[in-house]
Each structure stands twice: as structure tokens, then as C-alpha cells.
């Protein structure tokens, strides 16, 4: 009997639930294991980095980092594929997946720790998930410690008093665009979930579980909310669409969110990392964004550039990326 995949994760982690949703879609047997409730200490023994998820494959290989985890499993189990056959659409799906992991995470992390209501909710849930049998006094003390630690870390994603209004305006404008796009289809690229869905969904699902961001989504984006709920147990209802049928509502998303904000930030971040800066600034839609560089994303941008280079016929892709103001980071 084949052993199941084992996911050491957290319900509060967008990257953990992203991988779980993917395994559910692929129909692969898996166990969901709390990183905190691990009496055998397997997580500590197998994890090279103190992050979740950690996935242990049926052949006993330990994997970390949600995107490489999905890539590895997709190579082993290519059906049903999460990659459209159309080269342009396939790369755009990868671009959205990276956007979800690296920029939509800023929305989630900011809203989760910016206000007392959300801080209290998140810290209490994290504390309880780690030790569900603790007494109330211990639970509250642990929640206070978690809150203090996490509120002090928001700088990592660029959340600051100077960037707060921009992050929140960007989130609120973006969810309306996704809501319009999802009015006509169950998933981002058609009738079945794509690579793009999993990357974006993990962040928006996590945001939806928090009081402030969740209330905004529920009040303003009903189609997006339905998609968030659907992606907990995704199934294929048909095939991927084509870029031609998706373009009317997907192009504004790509042009505004990725071409206008995410890629300029990505390139500026990578440049800052390459010269060892402690802080960098970049103009995003008339806002002067300032933050400390994120070293990991400099590496993942390079992977995205390698994915672009691997496209066998980029003629149509280049025309599309140029129209979306997304080509320049891959041709420079």
C-alpha cells in the first residue's frame, strides 16, 4: 500500500493550505499534521528551514517551499495538469502564482497584524492550534507573546505606516478586479484550477479567515468569495480557456497588478539584494514604496526568468507581455 504524503503545516499558513488544496485536487492521499503538535519531533528532524509547509513524500523525501513542492509533485503526477497547454497562458499562470506568493502575501500579512482586532484573532488562533489542551491563562499568555513577536515583524513584507494606505487600497481595488473576472468562470483560467489559482488562493483564503480582510471580501467580492470557498476542495468542471476568451477581464488584472506594481517592485528588490542594500525605494503607481529587501524573492524572480527563457516559442508570449507592460523584466 502506498504511503500518503505527509504535510506538516498550519491552518494559518497560506503556503500550507495552498499545498493541501493542490493535493486535494490531484486526488493524492495525504495526512495533515500540525507542526506544533509533533510529539515524535519529525518536523524538527526533517526541516532544513523553520518554515511550513514541510512535505514528506511517499518515498520519504522531505520537501520545503510551496512552489518547489508543487513542481516536484506535478512532475510525479502530471494528470490532471495544472498547466495550460497554450504557452502564453501557461507562463501567465506562473506569473500569477509568483504574484500570489510574493505580493498578495503583503496584503494578507498587513491586514492580519495591522489592527488590534485582527492581531487578537490571529494570535489567539495560532496559540490554540499549537496546544489545544492548554488552560486559558496559558493560552492567553502565549497569544500575547505571539502577537508581540508578529507585530514586530511586519516590516519584512513592507507593511509600515508609510505603506499601509497603499497596501489596503491595492488590495481593495484588486479584489474587485478578481471578482469581475470570476463572475464568468469557476477558476482563474477557466473550468479547472491552474497553477495560478493555488498561489493566489492561499493568500486570499488566509486573508478571508481574518476579521478585517474577511469582512471586506464578503461585503464587496461575492464571486471571489465563492472561488475562495471552492478552492478548499477544487475539482475540474471542464477545460482551460484560451487567452483570447480570458483577456477581457484578465488583462486588466495583469496590467495593473503585475505590470504596474509587482514587477517594478520585484526588479527593484532584486537590484537592492544584489548590491547589499539595507533598504530600497521604488515608485509604485505614484507611491514611494520603501522597505528592506526580501532575499528570497530575488531568487524566485530569477526562477521566473528561467521559466520565461524555457518557453520554446515566445513570439506570441512576448507580444502579450509587452501589451501588459510585463515584458521588460524578462528581456533586460
Amino acid at each position: 500500500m502506498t504511503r500518503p504524503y505527509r504535510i506538516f503545516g498550519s491552518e494559518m499558513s497560506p503556503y500550507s493550505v495552498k499545498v493541501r488544496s493542490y493535493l486535494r485536487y490531484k486526488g493524492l492521499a495525504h495526512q495533515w499534521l500540525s507542526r506544533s503538535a509533533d510529539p515524535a519531533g519529525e518536523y524538527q528532524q526533517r526541516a532544513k528551514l523553520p518554515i511550513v509547509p514541510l512535505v514528506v513524500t511517499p518515498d520519504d523525501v522531505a520537501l520545503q517551499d510551496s512552489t518547489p513542492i508543487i513542481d516536484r509533485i506535478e512532475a510525479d503526477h502530471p494528470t490532471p495538469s495544472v498547466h495550460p497547454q497554450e504557452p502564453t497562458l501557461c507562463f501567465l499562470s506562473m506569473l500569477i502564482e509568483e504574484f500570489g506568493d510574493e505580493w498578495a502575501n503583503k496584503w494578507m500579512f498587513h491586514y492580519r497584524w495591522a489592527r488590534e482586532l485582527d492581531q487578537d484573532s490571529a494570535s489567539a488562533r495560532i496559540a490554540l492550534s499549537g496546544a489545544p489542551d492548554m488552560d486559558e491563562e496559558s493560552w492567553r499568555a502565549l497569544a500575547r507573546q505571539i502577537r508581540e513577536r508578529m507585530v514586530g515583524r511586519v516590516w519584512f513584507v513592507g507593511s509600515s505606516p508609510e505603506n499601509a494606505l497603499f497596501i489596503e487600497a491595492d488590495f481593495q481595488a484588486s479584489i474587485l478586479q478578481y471578482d469581475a473576472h470570476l463572475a464568468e468562470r469557476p477558476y482563474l483560467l477557466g473550468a479547472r484550477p491552474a497553477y495560478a489559482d493555488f498561489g493566489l488562493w492561499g493568500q486570499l483564503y488566509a486573508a478571508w479567515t481574518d476579521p478585517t480582510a474577511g469582512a471586506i471580501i464578503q461585503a464587496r467580492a461575492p464571486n471571489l468569495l465563492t472561488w475562495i470557498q471552492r478552492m478548499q476542495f477544487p475539482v475540474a468542471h471542464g477545460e482551460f480557456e484560451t487567452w483570447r476568451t480570458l483577456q477581457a477581464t484578465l488583462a486588466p488584472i495583469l496590467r495593473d497588478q503585475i505590470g504596474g506594481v509587482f514587477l517594478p517592485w520585484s526588479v527593484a528588490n532584486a537590484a537592492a539584494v544584489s548590491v547589499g542594500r539595507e533598504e530600497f525605494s521604488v515608485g509604485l503607481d505614484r507611491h514611494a514604496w520603501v522597505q528592506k529587501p526580501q532575499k528570497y524573492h530575488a531568487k524566485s524572480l530569477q526562477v521566473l526568468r528561467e521559466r520565461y527563457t524555457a518557453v520554446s516559442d515566445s513570439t506570441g508570449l512576448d507580444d502579450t507581455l509587452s501589451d501588459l507592460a510585463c515584458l521588460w523584466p524578462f528581456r533586460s
Side-chain angles (χ1 to χ4, degrees), residues 12 80 96 117 145 157 163 199-200 205 264 283 302-303 315:
M12 300 290 288
I96 296 170
L117 174 66
Q145 293 175 16
V157 300
N163 290 337
L200 182 67
Y205 170 78
Q302 181 57 37
V303 171
T315 305

Side-chain angles (χ1 to χ4, degrees), residues 216-234:
I216 293 170
I217 290 170
Q218 292 191 191
R220 302 182 187 178
N223 300 313
L224 180 65
L225 175 59
T226 299
W227 170 79
I228 289 172
Q229 295 168 335
R230 179 182 296 119
M231 280 292 296
Q232 293 186 70
F233 293 90

Side-chain angles (χ1 to χ4, degrees), residues 33-54:
L33 304 165
S34 171
R35 167 188 170 176
S36 303
D38 178 26
E42 184 178 7
Y43 173 85
Q44 295 295 337
Q45 296 170 21
R46 307 296 296 267
K48 294 182 179 179
L49 296 171
I51 59 172
V52 289
L54 167 75

Side-chain angles (χ1 to χ4, degrees), residues 178-224:
Y178 287 113
D179 192 67
H181 179 67
L182 290 164
E184 301 297 330
R185 52 192 55 86
Y187 300 104
L188 292 176
L189 303 186
R192 59 177 53 220
Y195 202 66
D197 289 273
F198 296 101
L200 182 67
W201 174 79
Q203 306 299 331
L204 290 179
Y205 170 78
W208 171 61
T209 68
D210 295 326
T212 302
I216 293 170
I217 290 170
Q218 292 191 191
R220 302 182 187 178
N223 300 313
L224 180 65

Side-chain angles (χ1 to χ4, degrees), residues 66-280:
S66 63
T67 298
I69 288 170
I70 289 177
D71 288 343
R72 164 65 187 271
I73 298 173
E74 187 72 9
D76 292 341
H77 302 277
T79 304
S81 178
V82 296
H83 298 300
Q85 290 187 343
E86 182 182 329
T88 292
L89 198 57
C90 184
F91 182 76
L92 293 177
S93 179
M94 295 175 179
L95 192 54
I96 296 170
E97 194 269 352
E98 179 73 0
F99 168 86
D101 277 359
E102 302 300 331
W103 187 266
N105 177 255
K106 298 182 186 302
W107 299 336
M108 186 282 298
F109 206 83
H110 167 80
Y111 271 107
R112 178 164 285 179
W113 301 108
R115 295 170 174 82
E116 286 192 13
L117 174 66
D118 300 281
Q119 294 167 5
D120 288 345
S121 172
S123 58
R125 286 181 287 151
I126 293 170
L128 194 60
S129 68
D133 297 327
M134 73 177 73
D135 61 77
E136 184 170 353
E137 183 178 352
S138 300
W139 167 51
R140 292 186 181 279
L142 179 57
R144 284 194 296 271
Q145 293 175 16
I146 292 169
R147 173 177 169 171
E148 291 173 4
R149 183 175 73 249
M150 297 307 294
V151 170
R153 295 187 69 237
V154 296
W155 59 266
F156 178 75
V157 300
S159 176
S160 66
E162 295 75 21
N163 290 337
L165 290 179
F166 180 83
I167 293 172
E168 296 189 7
D170 185 57
F171 168 77
Q172 293 175 35
S174 296
I175 64 170
L176 296 181
Q177 290 182 308
Y178 287 113
D179 192 67
H181 179 67
L182 290 164
E184 301 297 330
R185 52 192 55 86
Y187 300 104
L188 292 176
L189 303 186
R192 59 177 53 220
Y195 202 66
D197 289 273
F198 296 101
L200 182 67
W201 174 79
Q203 306 299 331
L204 290 179
Y205 170 78
W208 171 61
T209 68
D210 295 326
T212 302
I216 293 170
I217 290 170
Q218 292 191 191
R220 302 182 187 178
N223 300 313
L224 180 65
L225 175 59
T226 299
W227 170 79
I228 289 172
Q229 295 168 335
R230 179 182 296 119
M231 280 292 296
Q232 293 186 70
F233 293 90
V235 295
H237 299 288
E239 300 303 322
F240 293 119
E241 295 181 44
T242 65
W243 173 241
R244 182 182 61 80
T245 63
L246 293 164
Q247 185 173 0
T249 50
L250 188 56
I253 291 172
L254 292 160
R255 188 176 294 114
D256 295 348
Q257 297 176 26
I258 296 181
V261 174
F262 176 57
L263 289 176
W265 172 81
S266 297
V267 172
N269 176 76
V273 169
S274 70
V275 297
R277 289 182 192 160
E278 291 296 316
E279 187 176 83
F280 73 97

